[in-house]
Amino acid sequence: MDTNDAHQQTPLGRVLALIMIGCGFLAMGIAFMLLNEQDVSASAQDFSTVPVQVDFPAPELSLTTLEGEPVSLSDYLGSVVLVNLWATWCPPCREEMPTLQAFYEDYKSEGFVLIAIDQGETSQLVNPFVQEFGLEFPVWLDPASTAGYVFKTMNLPSSYVIDRTGQVRLMWIGGIAKKNLEKYVPEVIME
């Protein structure tokens, strides 16, 4: 073999080696992105359902029921109240409603109240939703989205657990999973 032939094959070999290394990095990058995407979606789902422990006074809030009767959060002092801000057009709100209804049924005899406050819609939109899901807990109308303002959120769904003394103790941003309702709320109810 001539020394010139050896020099001509070396650059070609190097190019092929670099191409193979590049393909390996590309394959590793794609695999990492696919694995990371699965982890992120699972983490995001778990994060959205785990409450944050907070401690601040429940805001003053007076609205109306579906029937047009005036109501206020202060009417429920002495009960544990889960305030859920939602709307009929919100997919995670729809998903969590059966879970909220089941939890309400399980704990209403323990001094627990769930108040679903619809944000920005009329009774003509909300009533069919309530009937579709068989909701038995109080549903309030908030056409001006005042609750979102006083709770300082623009996210739906958002939920707040208020203890018997009127302190907000737990806060969810996003849908609520049954396992996390069962894990965190009964402790406040049993106090």
Side-chain angles (χ1 to χ4, degrees), residues 152-169:
K152 298 177 175 54
T153 188
M154 295 177 64
N155 299 306
L156 296 179
S158 293
S159 298
Y160 305 85
V161 175
I162 304 168
D163 69 16
R164 296 178 196 280
T165 66
Q167 286 293 112
V168 179
R169 302 272 300 282

Side-chain angles (χ1 to χ4, degrees), residues 115-135:
I115 301 172
I117 302 177
D118 178 82
Q119 298 295 280
E121 298 177 303
T122 65
S123 61
Q124 289 77 20
L125 290 171
V126 177
N127 272 321
F129 183 95
V130 168
Q131 291 173 1
E132 176 186 347
F133 285 92
L135 304 180

Side-chain angles (χ1 to χ4, degrees), residues 53-108:
Q53 292 187 355
V54 294
D55 188 18
F56 61 89
E60 289 293 323
L61 183 62
S62 296
L63 297 169
T64 59
T65 66
L66 280 173
E67 296 76 28
E69 298 296 320
V71 285
S72 178
L73 273 183
S74 60
D75 297 341
Y76 293 90
L77 198 60
S79 296
V80 173
V81 179
L82 188 151
V83 173
N84 177 257
L85 309 183
W86 65 286
T88 61
W89 52 261
C90 164
C93 301
R94 294 183 68 84
E95 289 173 22
E96 73 179 358
M97 282 300 167
T99 298
L100 293 173
Q101 178 60 40
F103 189 82
Y104 172 71
E105 289 171 11
D106 289 346
Y107 289 94
K108 66 183 177 183

Side-chain angles (χ1 to χ4, degrees), residues 6 11 21 30 48 58 67 70 72 82 96 111 120 151 160 165 173 185 191:
I21 290 170
I30 291 171
S48 70
E67 296 76 28
S72 178
L82 188 151
E96 73 179 358
F151 278 104
Y160 305 85
T165 66
I173 302 298
V185 180
E191 288 178 353

